[in-house]
Amino acid sequence: MNIIKVMDYAEMSDYACDFLMNKMENLQKPVLGLATGSTPEGLYHRLIEKKVSFRNVVTFNLDEYVGLDRKNPNSYYYYMNDKLFNHVDIEMDKVHVPNGSATNLEKECHDYEEAIREAGQIDVQVLGIGVNGHIGFNEPGTAFTSRTHIVELDVSTRQANSRFFDSMEEVPTKAITMGIDSIMDSKEILLLISGHSKAHAVARLLEGEINEDFPASVLRRHKNVTIVVDEAAMSEVKENK
Ligand code: PGA
């Protein structure tokens, strides 16, 4: 893993933006895997500011809540439009976010995998990490062999995400997520990590065992991962002290 230590969130976002722009320039039809949450917001903001063209870009988002309509401001479909797609020249038929309102969710999972395969696999997958080590919505205990599937969300994940909702009761209990093996199929992974709340997760990612109790640990088996991590998030890593 290539570890890039940066000072803070702003520097992480700058680095991620330059990294992605460089990759996009060198690909004829870039296939990007995108993430939601607070972490990539700065990256998206910079891509918009720099007027990066998304004309030939195909995107696949990692995950979506089950049961939230796409018009719901807490849905990840809404988030992506709001934070990125509405402000760039992407063609919306090239955008893929799992449909958490699909009547047949199993079919939706299957079709999502198929669409990624048809696009020729993801060139660069942008990832964040949960405080419990989740990637996408793959919670601790998820099989490393998992493909796109429906999950029960951890209480810790629902608590962390409740800041976006009026109450904890409103946070969905289920989600649809690309599986760990689906993520590992990406040709390259860009993992962004910022802030004290992630310090324990970073220490475990870099120094802990590779096992399904800590989903992100699987990334140590991937051949092409860049981690951009700020000082606060590095603060519990032993060799950094
Ligand atoms: P965050 O979420 O970017 O809002 O911290 C990351 C994640 O849970 O994967």
Side-chain angles (χ1 to χ4, degrees):
M1 293 195 298
N2 183 21
I3 301 172
I4 309 291
K5 296 179 192 172
V6 293
M7 203 167 58
D8 54 16
Y9 182 83
E11 208 181 301
M12 177 196 77
S13 305
D14 287 338
Y15 188 97
C17 181
D18 290 345
F19 182 99
L20 219 53
M21 279 171 64
N22 183 266
K23 299 288 166 191
M24 288 163 77
E25 270 167 24
N26 289 303
L27 292 164
Q28 270 193 342
K29 193 180 165 193
V31 182
L32 301 182
L34 298 177
T36 51
S38 305
T39 306
E41 275 191 37
L43 161 64
Y44 297 152
H45 192 71
R46 283 158 177 74
L47 290 168
I48 296 165
E49 256 180 7
K50 295 199 171 175
K51 302 196 188 317
V52 174
S53 177
F54 278 70
R55 189 130 25 106
N56 294 317
V57 176
V58 177
T59 67
F60 288 91
N61 264 78
L62 281 169
D63 48 14
E64 176 62 285
Y65 289 116
V66 165
L68 292 192
D69 191 76
R70 290 187 153 184
K71 293 197 186 93
N72 187 312
N74 277 313
S75 74
Y76 288 165
Y77 186 83
Y78 188 100
Y79 169 109
M80 287 310 301
N81 281 327
D82 188 41
K83 309 284 185 216
L84 183 63
F85 299 146
N86 285 349
H87 314 283
V88 294
D89 59 351
I90 196 159
E91 291 163 21
M92 284 308 282
D93 61 342
K94 297 197 176 123
V95 161
H96 305 82
V97 180
N99 182 3
S101 304
T103 36
N104 186 340
L105 288 168
E106 287 307 319
K107 182 172 182 308
E108 176 64 17
C109 294
H110 177 267
D111 292 351
Y112 206 68
E113 286 281 330
E114 204 51 41
I116 297 173
R117 231 185 329 267
E118 272 172 25
Q121 299 301 341
I122 290 169
D123 291 305
V124 187
Q125 173 68 58
V126 177
L127 275 186
I129 186 172
V131 288
N132 62 1
H134 74 204
I135 47 174
F137 269 138
N138 294 289
E139 302 288 26
T142 305
F144 282 169
T145 52
S146 57
R147 308 296 305 190
T148 301
H149 63 298
I150 305 298
V151 292
E152 287 286 336
L153 296 175
D154 248 28
V155 174
S156 70
T157 300
R158 293 184 63 234
Q159 268 162 355
N161 291 2
S162 65
R163 67 190 191 278
F164 300 112
F165 293 80
D166 288 337
S167 68
M168 176 75 178
E169 288 68 48
E170 285 181 31
V171 185
T173 55
K174 287 187 181 165
I176 177 168
T177 183
M178 274 166 61
I180 293 189
D181 204 34
S182 330
I183 293 170
M184 290 291 279
D185 274 349
S186 310
K187 295 173 193 164
E188 181 158 15
I189 291 176
L190 176 65
L191 173 60
L192 307 178
I193 319 178
S194 168
H196 276 292
S197 67
K198 302 288 171 69
H200 187 65
V202 173
R204 201 161 161 195
L205 170 66
L206 300 182
E207 299 173 338
E209 280 177 27
I210 299 178
N211 63 41
E212 291 173 354
D213 291 339
F214 195 75
S217 62
V218 75
L219 298 174
R220 286 181 16 216
R221 292 187 181 153
H222 194 284
K223 287 194 185 74
N224 200 356
V225 179
T226 298
I227 306 179
V228 190
V229 53
D230 73 7
E231 281 175 10
M234 276 301 280
S235 59
E236 284 188 32
V237 174
K238 279 199 202 81
E239 61 135 66
N240 205 47
K241 283 188 172 169

